[in-house]
Amino acid sequence: MPNFRVLLSAEQIQTRIQELGAEIDGDNPAGGPVYLICILKGACFFLADLARAMKTPSRIEFIGISSYGKGKTTSGEVKLTKDLDVSIEGYDVVIVEDIVDSGVTLSYLIKVLTQRKPKTLRIATLLDKPERRMRPVDVQYVGFRIPDEFVVGYGLDYAEDYRNLKDVVILQD
Ligand code: IMP
Ligand code: MG
């Protein structure tokens, strides 16, 4: 059985997401709809809670992108594994991500989505590990800045396990 240490409790996560939802509402006075683009699979729980924390009408889309193999460090290689089903041209778009680590995934995705001419393109991430950044990314909504530890739970995995934990925990080996 792996060793877990709770970093962020389910309650802390929910409280912060309510604040983020209000912040996004405040930045969308026009009243939406805002396209929330969930990066599969890690951001799925965050997307579900963030969308419901917002009053601004939203539309939900999914994109698949991977830069990680089965280990804990980036492979440096990014690929699109599932594209959007709709055009985002002319819409306000918020990319919803679980964690920004090296920044490789998001800088790639920003390049791809910018070419599709959204009206605005912003990023909401539940977690940010700023110490690990290799590529600069402008992240507008950050749930929690965390230290350089490998975390799982609330959508985040280690080799596809532990996504369904309610808390975000540090995985110690
Ligand atoms: P980046 O491209 O290095 O910023 O990596 C971002 C992706 O790596 C995230 O979407 C996660 O899927 C994964 N990742 C980075 N750090 C962690 C972690 O601590 N736990 C689980 N997955 C992580
Ligand atoms: Mg991810």
Side-chain angles (χ1 to χ4, degrees), residues 39 42 67-68 72 74 97-106 129 146 149-152 156-158:
I39 307 185
S67 70
Y68 266 41
K72 291 183 180 176
T74 184
E97 174 62 306
D98 52 2
I99 184 166
V100 189
D101 186 31
S102 68
V104 170
T105 307
L106 275 177
K129 280 189 207 169
I146 64 166
E149 302 266 17
F150 196 83
V151 291
V152 296
L156 291 115
D157 73 306
Y158 175 57

